[in-house]
Coordinates of all heavy atoms in Angstrom, one line a residue:
N1 N -27.4 62.7 1.4 CA -28.7 62.6 2.1 C -29.5 61.4 1.6 O -30.6 61.1 2.1 CB -29.5 63.9 2.1 CG -30.0 64.3 0.7 OD1 -30.1 63.5 -0.2 ND2 -30.2 65.6 0.5
G2 N -29.1 60.8 0.5 CA -29.7 59.6 -0.1 C -30.9 59.9 -1.0 O -31.3 59.0 -1.7
R3 N -31.4 61.1 -1.0 CA -32.7 61.3 -1.8 C -32.5 61.2 -3.3 O -33.4 60.8 -4.0 CB -33.2 62.7 -1.4 CG -33.6 62.8 0.1 CD -33.9 64.2 0.5 NE -35.0 64.7 -0.3 CZ -35.2 66.0 -0.5 NH1 -34.5 66.9 0.1 NH2 -36.2 66.4 -1.3
F4 N -31.3 61.4 -3.8 CA -31.0 61.3 -5.2 C -31.3 59.8 -5.7 O -31.6 59.6 -6.8 CB -29.6 61.7 -5.5 CG -29.1 61.6 -6.9 CD1 -29.5 62.5 -7.9 CD2 -28.2 60.6 -7.3 CE1 -29.0 62.5 -9.2 CE2 -27.7 60.6 -8.6 CZ -28.1 61.5 -9.5
F5 N -31.0 58.9 -4.8 CA -31.1 57.5 -5.1 C -32.4 56.9 -4.9 O -32.6 55.7 -5.0 CB -30.0 56.7 -4.3 CG -28.6 57.2 -4.7 CD1 -27.9 58.0 -3.8 CD2 -28.1 57.0 -5.9 CE1 -26.6 58.5 -4.1 CE2 -26.8 57.4 -6.3 CZ -26.1 58.2 -5.4
Y6 N -33.4 57.8 -4.6 CA -34.8 57.4 -4.6 C -35.1 56.8 -6.0 O -36.0 55.9 -6.1 CB -35.7 58.7 -4.4 CG -37.1 58.5 -4.6 CD1 -37.9 57.9 -3.6 CD2 -37.8 58.8 -5.8 CE1 -39.3 57.7 -3.8 CE2 -39.1 58.7 -6.0 CZ -39.9 58.1 -5.0 OH -41.2 58.0 -5.2
Y7 N -34.5 57.3 -7.0 CA -34.6 56.7 -8.4 C -33.7 55.6 -8.6 O -32.4 55.7 -8.5 CB -34.3 57.8 -9.4 CG -35.3 59.0 -9.3 CD1 -34.8 60.2 -8.6 CD2 -36.6 59.0 -9.7 CE1 -35.7 61.2 -8.4 CE2 -37.4 60.0 -9.6 CZ -37.0 61.2 -8.9 OH -37.8 62.2 -8.7
E8 N -34.2 54.4 -8.8 CA -33.4 53.2 -8.9 C -32.3 53.3 -10.0 O -31.2 52.8 -9.8 CB -34.3 52.0 -9.2 CG -35.1 51.5 -8.1 CD -36.0 50.4 -8.5 OE1 -35.5 49.4 -9.1 OE2 -37.2 50.4 -8.2
E9 N -32.6 54.0 -11.0 CA -31.6 54.2 -12.1 C -30.4 54.9 -11.6 O -29.2 54.6 -12.0 CB -32.2 54.9 -13.3 CG -31.3 55.2 -14.4 CD -30.6 54.0 -15.1 OE1 -31.2 52.9 -15.0 OE2 -29.5 54.1 -15.7
H10 N -30.5 55.9 -10.7 CA -29.4 56.6 -10.2 C -28.5 55.6 -9.4 O -27.3 55.7 -9.4 CB -29.8 57.8 -9.4 CG -30.4 58.9 -10.2 ND1 -31.1 59.9 -9.6 CD2 -30.6 59.1 -11.5 CE1 -31.5 60.7 -10.5 NE2 -31.2 60.2 -11.7
A11 N -29.1 54.8 -8.6 CA -28.4 53.8 -7.8 C -27.6 52.9 -8.6 O -26.5 52.5 -8.4 CB -29.3 53.1 -6.8
R12 N -28.3 52.4 -9.7 CA -27.7 51.4 -10.6 C -26.5 52.1 -11.3 O -25.4 51.5 -11.5 CB -28.7 50.9 -11.6 CG -29.6 49.8 -11.0 CD -30.4 49.1 -12.1 NE -31.2 49.9 -12.9 CZ -32.5 50.2 -12.6 NH1 -33.1 49.7 -11.6 NH2 -33.2 51.0 -13.4
R13 N -26.7 53.3 -11.8 CA -25.6 54.0 -12.5 C -24.4 54.3 -11.5 O -23.2 54.1 -11.9 CB -26.1 55.4 -13.0 CG -26.9 55.2 -14.3 CD -27.2 56.6 -14.9 NE -26.0 57.2 -15.4 CZ -26.0 58.5 -15.7 NH1 -27.1 59.3 -15.6 NH2 -24.9 59.1 -16.1
A14 N -24.7 54.6 -10.3 CA -23.6 54.8 -9.3 C -22.8 53.5 -9.1 O -21.6 53.5 -9.0 CB -24.1 55.4 -8.0
A15 N -23.5 52.5 -8.9 CA -22.9 51.2 -8.7 C -22.1 50.8 -9.9 O -20.9 50.3 -9.8 CB -23.9 50.1 -8.4
A16 N -22.6 51.0 -11.1 CA -21.9 50.6 -12.4 C -20.7 51.5 -12.5 O -19.7 51.0 -13.1 CB -22.8 50.8 -13.6
A17 N -20.7 52.7 -12.1 CA -19.5 53.6 -12.1 C -18.5 53.2 -11.1 O -17.3 53.6 -11.3 CB -19.9 55.1 -11.9
G18 N -18.8 52.4 -10.1 CA -17.9 51.9 -9.2 C -18.0 52.4 -7.7 O -17.1 52.1 -6.9
L19 N -19.1 53.1 -7.4 CA -19.3 53.5 -6.1 C -19.3 52.3 -5.1 O -20.0 51.4 -5.3 CB -20.6 54.3 -5.9 CG -20.9 54.8 -4.5 CD1 -19.9 55.9 -4.1 CD2 -22.3 55.4 -4.5
Q20 N -18.4 52.4 -4.1 CA -18.3 51.3 -3.2 C -19.2 51.4 -2.0 O -19.8 50.5 -1.5 CB -16.9 51.1 -2.7 CG -15.9 50.7 -3.8 CD -14.5 50.5 -3.3 OE1 -14.1 51.2 -2.4 NE2 -13.8 49.6 -3.8
E21 N -19.3 52.7 -1.5 CA -20.0 52.9 -0.2 C -20.7 54.2 -0.2 O -20.2 55.2 -0.8 CB -19.1 52.8 1.0 CG -19.8 52.9 2.3 CD -18.8 52.6 3.5 OE1 -17.6 52.5 3.3 OE2 -19.3 52.5 4.6
A22 N -21.9 54.3 0.4 CA -22.6 55.6 0.6 C -23.0 55.6 2.1 O -23.4 54.7 2.7 CB -23.8 55.6 -0.3
A23 N -22.8 56.8 2.7 CA -23.2 57.1 4.0 C -24.4 58.0 4.0 O -24.4 59.1 3.4 CB -22.1 57.7 4.8
V24 N -25.5 57.6 4.6 CA -26.8 58.3 4.6 C -27.3 58.5 6.0 O -27.4 57.6 6.7 CB -27.9 57.5 3.8 CG1 -29.2 58.3 3.8 CG2 -27.4 57.3 2.4
P25 N -27.6 59.8 6.4 CA -28.1 60.0 7.8 C -29.6 59.7 7.8 O -30.3 60.0 6.9 CB -27.8 61.5 8.0 CG -27.8 62.1 6.7 CD -27.3 61.0 5.7
L26 N -30.0 59.1 8.9 CA -31.4 59.0 9.2 C -31.6 59.6 10.6 O -30.9 59.2 11.6 CB -31.9 57.5 9.3 CG -32.0 56.8 7.9 CD1 -32.6 55.4 8.1 CD2 -32.9 57.6 7.0
Y27 N -32.5 60.5 10.7 CA -32.7 61.3 12.0 C -33.8 60.7 12.8 O -34.2 61.3 13.8 CB -32.9 62.8 11.7 CG -31.8 63.4 10.9 CD1 -31.8 63.7 9.6 CD2 -30.5 63.6 11.6 CE1 -30.8 64.2 8.9 CE2 -29.5 64.1 10.9 CZ -29.6 64.4 9.6 OH -28.5 65.0 8.9
G28 N -34.4 59.7 12.3 CA -35.5 59.0 13.0 C -36.0 57.8 12.3 O -35.7 57.7 11.1

C-alpha cells in the first residue's frame, strides 16, 4: 500500500537491499 515508505529511510533501505520494483494502488 506504500505507506511504510512514507519514511525515506525505509525506501533507501529497500533500494539498498535490492528491491527493483514496487506496485502501489492509488484509488483517487
Side-chain angles (χ1 to χ4, degrees):
N1 64 24
R3 295 172 57 203
F4 179 74
F5 299 107
Y6 170 82
Y7 302 99
E8 290 179 45
E9 176 60 23
H10 292 171
R12 285 194 298 268
R13 284 186 65 196
L19 181 64
Q20 292 180 328
E21 184 174 8
V24 178
L26 288 183
Y27 300 107

